[in-house]
Structures are given as C-alpha cells and as structure tokens.
C-alpha cells in the first residue's frame, strides 16, 4: 500500500492510502450561519467560513481516490433524551439546545440548522455520525465503524478547533489513531484559541498529533502519483 509523506509540525507525517479517513467535524449551519447555536452563545459566526474552501478541496481529493470520509454533526434526539441537563442549562445563551430558532430547533437532528452546509454536503457512502457530545467517539459507535474499515490514520478538519475538533482528536489519539489536523481546514470563534490548540497538539513530540496546511497534504498526494480510484 502506498504511504504518503509530508512536512508537518512538529515533524514528518506519513499516512497510508485508503486507511486514512478525512474527518469533517460539525460543519453545520448551527455553527456557521447566523441564528444558530454558535450565534446564540454570543459568537461572531463569520470567523468560521474560511475553513469551507480547504475542506471542499480535501473532500474532492479523498472522493477521487475512494478513501474513507467521516462527517460529524453535533445533534441531539428531538426528545433531548441524549442531552444532559448539565449541557442544556449551561450558561446564558439566547437560545438553548432544543429551542426553536430561525433554522429550526437548535442542535436537533433533522432540523435545518443541524444540516451540514451545502458546500460540504455528505455524499452516498460517506460515514455520517450524529454525536451528542463534543467528542466524536462518545456514544456514537464510530470507533467500531473505523476499525471494521481498517482505518488507522485520521486527518481532521472542521469546527471549532479547541472544542469539538480538539476533543475528537484527543479521543482518537487515545484509541490509537495517528492524527493530523489541517491548519486552514479548521477555525475557531477565538483565533488565539485555534493557534494555542494547534500548538498544544503538536508540542512534546506530537503528544496528541500533527498539524499541516491543506496544500501540503494535497501536494503529497499528487506528487506520489495520479488519481486512482480504489474500492472502499
Ligand atoms: N461552542 C463551540 O466553540 N463549539 C461547540 O459548541 N461545538 C463544536 O465545536 N462543534
């Protein structure tokens, strides 16, 4: 199996073709558009939009090669049975999880706000996981799905860097996946938190994982050979 190599922080990241999943965390209207959960917490949601184009480019590259793709959504059951009161009642948002807002009920599966933004909509055959927590493994069964497909490496994108992306990456690192986060494929409502999260992840000899720009990943794939779709 081909192994791809790229210059990353803090040192080279090598990943095997077909066993590396692209992970797109929570690129939902509720975080990226006005009127959703992110805005209800008092955030400037326009700060997240720059991640869309790099993620779209990586999705195209992964799709062209039929490599595994995971999309997550932070979304709860309509009856809120999977939303602990400690989460729902936290703070003083203008809208709480489950309340009706301009994009339907906030962070509820099936509502317009819980949808992934159209530019990054999942395609048939891609793994889509609704998660009740910030991390993608808690109460989702995703580890078993990835193990069944032989996935060993994860390339992370999505929002927000220091909340759901970092939590998911830490969970993944503890489960034995070699993880890289894409610098321009992730954003935060707090740019300084994004910078610090990236620094924390790569410190101490990649204690949680690596980070690199999307261009380095795309270049590594293209230098290694032409696009060749392989069976999933
Ligand atoms: N508030 C915030 O920064 N993030 C979240 O609540 N969820 C995700 O990061 N997806």
């Amino acid at each position: 199996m081909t192994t791809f190599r790229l210059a990353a922080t803090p040192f080279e990241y090598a990943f095997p073709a077909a066993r590396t999943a692209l992970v797109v965390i929570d690129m939902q209207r509720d975080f990226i558009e006005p009127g959703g959960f992110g805005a209800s917490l008092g955030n400037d949601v326009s700060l997240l939009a720059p991640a869309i184009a790099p993620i779209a480019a990586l999705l195209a590259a992964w799709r062209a090669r039929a490599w595994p793709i995971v999309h997550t959504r932070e979304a709860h059951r309509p009856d809120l049975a999977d939303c602990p009161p400690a989460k729902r009642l936290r703070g003083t948002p203008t809208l709480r999880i489950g309340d009706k807002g301009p994009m339907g009920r906030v962070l509820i599966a099936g509502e317009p706000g819980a949808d992934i933004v159209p530019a990054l909509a999942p395609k048939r055959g891609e793994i889509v996981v609704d998660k009740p927590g910030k991390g993608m493994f808690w109460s989702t069964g995703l580890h078993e799905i990835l193990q069944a497909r032989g996935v060993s490496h994860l390339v992370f994108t999505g929002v927000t860097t220091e909340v759901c992306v970092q939590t998911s990456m830490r969970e993944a690192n503890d489960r034995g996946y070699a993880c890289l986060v894409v610098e321009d494929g992730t954003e935060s409502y707090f740019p300084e938190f994004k910078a610090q999260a990236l620094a924390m992840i790569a410190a101490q000899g990649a204690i949680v994982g690596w980070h690199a720009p999307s261009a380095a990943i795309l270049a590594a794939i293209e230098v290694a050979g032409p696009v060749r779709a392989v069976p999933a």
Side-chain angles (χ1 to χ4, degrees):
M1 184 183 302
T2 310
T3 297
F4 299 99
R5 299 178 184 284
L6 61 129
T9 303
F11 42 67
E12 181 186 80
Y13 181 70
F15 63 99
R19 295 195 180 280
T20 303
L22 176 65
V23 180
V24 185
I25 298 283
D26 299 359
M27 289 299 287
Q28 297 161 261
R29 299 180 64 200
D30 261 326
F31 293 107
I32 290 160
E33 296 184 11
F37 185 64
S40 82
L41 297 172
N43 296 305
D44 173 1
V45 295
S46 70
L47 289 164
L48 305 190
I52 294 174
I55 297 174
L58 289 166
L59 279 171
W62 252 249
R63 285 170 179 156
R65 292 161 178 81
W67 293 347
I69 294 172
V70 177
H71 303 263
T72 69
R73 298 180 294 215
E74 186 173 346
H76 293 275
R77 293 164 43 136
D79 64 3
L80 293 175
D82 61 356
C83 184
K87 180 177 183 182
R88 185 165 189 274
L89 300 177
R90 189 81 46 86
T92 52
T94 54
L95 288 170
R96 293 192 185 278
I97 296 168
D99 288 351
K100 194 151 178 54
M103 293 191 287
R105 294 181 67 203
V106 171
L107 286 194
I108 299 297
E111 298 285 332
D115 269 355
I116 291 169
V117 294
L120 305 177
K123 291 196 186 296
R124 181 195 283 272
E126 297 172 2
I127 301 161
V128 181
V129 172
D130 282 335
K131 58 182 186 55
K134 303 304 183 192
M136 68 181 187
F137 291 103
W138 164 245
S139 199
T140 63
L142 179 59
H143 184 51
E144 292 74 12
I145 295 169
L146 294 175
Q147 292 297 293
R149 297 200 182 190
V151 171
S152 58
H153 289 58
L154 299 172
V155 171
F156 279 90
T157 63
V159 295
T160 60
T161 317
E162 80 283 7
V163 183
C164 290
V165 175
Q166 180 171 220
T167 303
S168 297
M169 194 165 163
R170 287 176 182 275
E171 286 185 335
N173 186 52
D174 283 349
R175 284 165 175 78
Y177 299 94
C179 301
L180 176 140
V181 63
V182 181
E183 293 159 11
D184 51 336
T186 185
E187 292 296 344
S188 170
Y189 300 121
F190 304 88
E192 69 276 24
F193 289 174
K194 170 181 169 176
Q196 291 299 331
L198 292 176
M200 280 178 219
I201 282 165
Q204 305 181 65
I207 194 85
V208 175
W210 289 253
H211 59 83
S214 59
I217 301 166
L218 294 169
I221 294 170
E222 270 144 35
V223 165
V227 172
R228 189 179 64 253
V230 295

